[in-house]
Amino acid sequence: MGSGFSDSGTDRAGAGFDFSTGNFVITMPKSSMGLFSHELKHAYQFETGSYSIGPEISGVAHKNLLYDKQDELEGYARGAIFGGDRYSTTGSLPSDYKNVAEGPYNYTNISEISAALAASDPSKHLQRFSNVTGHAFRVNGVTYYKKKP
């Protein structure tokens, strides 16, 4: 699915991607403005190219591609406006995020994406990169992902 968010350790919401339909998906366990606003922040991050969804990538600092602890800090900050938990540093995030890359990462500071954007046919190269990494991400208003049946 994607990242999960817990409101005081009780219910989990999540931001994910449906690789068969190409849709960003928010999962809500209950009605909570804190949870919902946190996940909406991730939807915005995805839309603007600073969030991706996919498997961990080994051997690189950006092991979660565009998803990182900074994304979670921003999500919690948004949720706190509506009564959710707040964390002030990446080191204070719940242990659920211990294996998430530090960041911040976005499509402008990942060398493979920068190289693809500089290529003669950027869309082709970005799609290939998405296929190889297994990540769904958006760059310049276009969603790249490897469609699953």
Side-chain angles (χ1 to χ4, degrees):
M1 179 62 132
S3 73
F5 168 62
S6 176
D7 202 4
S8 298
T10 54
D11 291 310
R12 291 187 68 80
F17 193 82
D18 185 328
F19 285 87
S20 60
T21 65
N23 293 321
F24 188 88
V25 178
I26 293 175
T27 304
M28 293 296 302
K30 66 175 184 173
S31 178
S32 164
M33 285 302 293
L35 291 171
F36 188 54
S37 59
H38 178 110
E39 299 309 332
L40 282 177
K41 182 64 174 184
H42 290 324
Y44 175 78
Q45 292 164 333
F46 183 82
E47 184 68 26
T48 59
S50 63
Y51 190 93
S52 67
I53 300 161
E56 189 171 295
I57 304 165
S58 60
V60 293
H62 54 275
K63 63 184 179 179
N64 311 108
L65 194 54
L66 306 179
Y67 170 61
D68 55 61
K69 290 180 182 178
Q70 297 298 321
D71 296 326
E72 288 302 331
L73 276 183
E74 292 175 13
Y76 278 106
R78 180 62 54 85
I81 294 170
F82 299 97
D85 297 333
R86 177 184 292 276
Y87 298 92
S88 57
T89 65
T90 57
S92 67
L93 287 169
S95 62
D96 293 349
Y97 304 107
K98 70 178 180 244
N99 292 322
V100 175
E102 191 68 30
Y105 295 112
N106 61 58
Y107 80 91
T108 66
N109 65 4
I110 300 294
S111 60
E112 297 89 346
I113 294 177
S114 296
L117 288 170
S120 60
D121 186 356
S123 291
K124 178 180 173 183
H125 292 281
L126 289 168
Q127 184 60 56
R128 185 179 306 130
F129 184 62
S130 176
N131 292 346
V132 168
T133 63
H135 275 255
F137 56 88
R138 283 182 67 80
V139 175
N140 297 329
V142 177
T143 303
Y144 298 93
Y145 68 99
K146 184 177 181 181
K147 187 171 177 115
K148 294 182 181 173

